[in-house]
């Protein structure tokens, strides 16, 4: 017996140390902290709402339930948080928080368990919180999903990852074109280099401080663009959605910013470096004069081909265009952070899969990213709920007919006239409707 005990002791002493265990679900993952201060209850019909906050599966959350809950739930999917190590929670924006509560909806929002461009975290944390809502409040009779920017990527993939789980979806300024967002950023920089004659790819450490100023000088981008600068602006317009109202002021507004997106990767993983999925191998650039950009441009293959092609849920997953519920989207015409072309890519995918009856899209005449008025978002929300309840698809814009999109009044139909005179707006970069 003594020899057996001694042998067991030796084996224990010689065993390798145990790997660090994952913290319990009510704690953030290693490297993250949480900042989710108490949210004061809203007043709904003169009574306070019920607010629940906590941590579930490593993600912070906030849930709010009106005094007379109608049994329906809206999940809010937030946008890109950058490389921050602090997990935070947003309530629904654009006046939606109060609107939802006044209509009897509960809402829930997750920080996701990770930041950076991690759509997988958004898909799983949002779905996990919706299931947790069942335990904390009760099982809703249906669950909607609403979100902004990267949250639109979360929405597009969530509808396919969990088919039938969500009743309807409202992506706002969403990355519905998945990997093609990063193709656009690559196109912007490589086309600028080809047309200017200043080659620098992969972007060196001094890209923004030394290379980009040379490109801008060659193209006249610090003032009135020269002939080659005008060609570059036209290439950008075509790659971001085609000729359309506001394309020229959008280029002037965003050009410096998009150069910066080529030099913002912070690591080797997909979430910290989604640009490794980008390619321009098959891109045809127009106009192709005075510089023959299609001959001169550097062609780049994806660094991570497997991640680009896999159908699996990754940090930057594909969206196949197979929604399983009604989708009503809003997008700013002049947005070049998440360009209007994202809507066109998604529309083509959805139509190819025979699901066009599940998609309605609306163009808004603004240049900012996610620059919507509460009226625009509120009207879209009401129309989405009516669609989900009655099956009657609401009105939308044609997004993939170049002649329609190029019309001077395109985007007027669903743009809020009152927003044109709002302070700090880009609406006045467009002629008034």
């Amino acid at each position: 017996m003594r020899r057996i005990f001694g042998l067991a002791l030796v084996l224990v002493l010689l065993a390798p140390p145990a790997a660090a265990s994952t913290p319990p679900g009510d704690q953030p993952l290693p490297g993250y902290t949480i900042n989710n201060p108490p949210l004061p209850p809203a007043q709904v019909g003169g009574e306070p709402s019920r607010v629940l906050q906590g941590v579930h599966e490593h993600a912070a959350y906030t849930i709010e339930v009106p005094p007379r809950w109608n049994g329906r739930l809206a999940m809010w999917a937030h946008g890109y948080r950058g490389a921050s190590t602090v997990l935070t929670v947003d309530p629904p924006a654009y006046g939606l928080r109060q609107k939802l509560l006044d209509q009897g909806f509960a809402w829930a929002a997750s920080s996701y368990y990770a930041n950076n461009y991690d759509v997988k975290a958004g898909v799983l944390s949002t779905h996990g919180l919706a299931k947790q809502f069942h335990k904390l409040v009760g099982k809703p009779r249906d669950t909607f999903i609403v979100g902004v920017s990267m949250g639109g990527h979360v929405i597009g993939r969530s509808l396919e990852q969990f088919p039938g789980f969500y009743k309807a979806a409202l992506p706002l300024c969403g990355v519905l074109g998945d990997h093609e967002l990063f193709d656009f950023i690559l196109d912007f920089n490589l086309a600028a280099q080809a047309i200017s004659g200043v080659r620098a790819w992969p972007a060196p450490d001094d890209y923004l401080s030394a290379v980009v100023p040379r490109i801008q000088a060659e193209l006249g981008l610090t003032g009135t663009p020269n002939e080659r600068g005008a060609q570059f602006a036209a290439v950008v317009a075509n790659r971001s959605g085609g000729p359309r109202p506001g394309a020229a002021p959008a280029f002037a507004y965003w050009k410096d910013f998009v150069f910066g997106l080529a030099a913002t990767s912070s690591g080797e993983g997909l979430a910290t470096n989604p640009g490794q999925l980008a390619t321009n191998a098959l891109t045809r650039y127009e106009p192709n004069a005075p510089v023959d950009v299609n001959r001169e441009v550097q062609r780049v293959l994806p660094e991570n081909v497997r991640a680009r092609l896999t159908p699996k849920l990754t940090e930057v997953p594909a969206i196949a265009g197979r929604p399983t519920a009604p989708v009503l989207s809003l997008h700013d015409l002049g947005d070049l952070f998440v360009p209007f072309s994202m809507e066109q890519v998604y529309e083509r995918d959805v139509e190819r899969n025979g699901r066009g009856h599940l998609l309605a899209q609306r163009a808004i005449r603004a240049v900012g990213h996610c620059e919507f008025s509460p009226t625009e978002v509120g009207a879209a929300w009401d129309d989405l709920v009516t669609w989900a309840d009655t099956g009657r698809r609401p009105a939308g814009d044609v997004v993939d007919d170049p002649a329609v999109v190029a019309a001077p009044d395109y985007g007027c139909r669903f743009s809020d006239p009152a927003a044109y005179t709002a302070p700090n707006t880009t609406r006045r970069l467009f002629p008034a409707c």
Side-chain angles (χ1 to χ4, degrees):
M1 179 67 68
R2 186 177 302 161
R3 291 176 61 191
I4 294 174
F5 175 80
L7 178 59
L9 180 61
V10 169
L11 291 174
V12 169
L13 293 174
L14 292 178
S21 59
T22 301
D26 62 353
Q27 298 294 321
L29 291 173
Y32 283 103
T33 58
I34 286 172
N35 180 20
N36 189 21
L39 180 70
Q43 290 296 307
V44 186
E47 299 178 53
S49 65
R50 177 189 175 199
V51 176
L52 298 86
Q53 293 176 278
V55 181
H56 178 64
E57 295 177 352
H58 314 297
Y61 69 81
T62 299
I63 291 170
E64 190 167 22
V65 185
R68 281 167 288 282
W69 180 40
N70 65 8
R72 314 184 92 176
L73 171 65
M75 302 301 299
W76 175 258
H78 72 69
Y80 178 58
R81 288 282 197 260
S84 172
T85 59
V86 181
L87 303 178
T88 58
V89 182
D90 293 339
Y94 307 106
L96 271 181
R97 176 193 174 191
Q98 189 67 49
K99 185 178 185 69
L100 290 167
L101 295 170
D102 288 343
Q103 292 180 347
F105 279 78
W107 63 265
S110 170
S111 69
Y112 314 156
Y113 61 72
N115 286 328
N116 291 296
Y117 200 92
D118 197 333
V119 174
K120 179 179 180 179
V123 170
L124 296 180
S125 291
T126 301
H127 179 259
L129 177 58
K131 301 293 285 186
Q132 181 70 358
F133 181 95
H134 299 184
K135 299 177 182 178
L136 297 176
V137 178
K139 184 176 181 179
R141 57 188 173 94
D142 46 41
T143 301
F144 293 69
I145 185 167
V146 188
V148 292
S149 193
M150 189 190 82
H153 199 159
V154 170
I155 290 172
R157 181 61 191 226
S158 291
L159 296 177
E160 299 171 5
Q161 192 72 27
F162 302 106
F165 186 83
Y166 295 103
K167 180 76 170 180
L170 180 62
L172 308 169
C173 50
V175 187
L176 294 171
D178 56 63
H179 306 146
E180 297 203 33
L181 171 62
F182 307 101
D183 294 349
F184 168 73
I185 296 167
L186 179 70
D187 284 332
F188 184 100
N189 285 272
L190 291 183
Q193 292 176 25
I195 296 171
S196 68
V198 179
R199 295 186 176 273
W201 196 263
D205 291 341
D206 64 350
Y207 185 63
L208 295 181
S209 62
V211 179
V212 170
R214 290 173 55 206
I215 294 173
Q216 292 176 323
E218 287 289 335
L219 301 178
L221 298 186
T222 56
T224 301
N226 57 31
E227 186 180 26
R228 288 180 296 150
Q231 179 188 0
F232 175 55
V235 166
V236 171
N238 280 314
R239 290 295 295 130
S240 61
R244 60 199 187 277
F251 177 79
Y253 183 91
W254 284 106
K255 59 181 174 59
D256 296 336
F257 181 86
V258 184
F259 277 118
L261 295 177
T264 56
S265 63
S266 58
E268 298 299 321
L270 276 179
T272 56
N273 184 15
Q276 65 184 276
L277 299 176
T279 182
N280 71 334
L282 300 177
T283 302
R284 301 299 298 174
Y285 299 93
E286 294 292 341
N288 201 38
V291 175
D292 187 347
V293 63
N294 288 304
R295 183 184 67 187
E296 297 296 331
V297 74
Q298 180 179 346
R299 296 293 178 177
V300 174
L301 295 174
E303 295 176 38
N304 193 333
V305 175
R306 178 175 294 181
R308 172 89 185 202
L309 298 179
T310 183
K312 295 181 179 178
L313 178 61
T314 67
E315 289 82 356
V316 189
I319 298 173
R322 296 190 183 94
T324 54
V327 179
L328 174 57
S329 67
L330 296 186
H331 217 110
D332 294 309
L333 274 177
D335 187 357
L336 294 186
F337 187 17
V338 179
F340 187 69
S341 56
M342 296 290 98
E343 298 292 333
Q344 296 166 336
V345 171
Y346 189 60
E347 191 268 349
R348 291 169 202 153
D349 289 342
V350 170
E351 287 290 345
R352 186 172 57 251
N353 288 303
R355 304 195 183 196
H357 62 287
L358 291 175
L359 178 63
Q361 297 163 286
R362 294 177 177 178
I364 303 300
R365 288 167 72 98
V367 167
H369 180 50
C370 305
E371 186 182 340
F372 307 116
S373 76
T375 297
E376 290 160 348
V377 175
W381 168 257
D382 289 342
D383 289 347
L384 180 71
V385 174
T386 299
W387 186 7
D389 289 345
T390 67
R392 292 194 297 270
R393 181 185 177 204
D397 284 312
V398 173
V399 304
D400 202 27
D401 183 326
V404 172
V405 174
D409 63 347
Y410 185 72
C412 285
R413 186 178 185 185
F414 298 103
S415 295
D416 176 11
Y420 191 80
T421 57
N424 303 315
T425 183
T426 67
R427 307 288 176 120
R428 287 188 292 273
L429 295 175
F430 294 77
C433 290

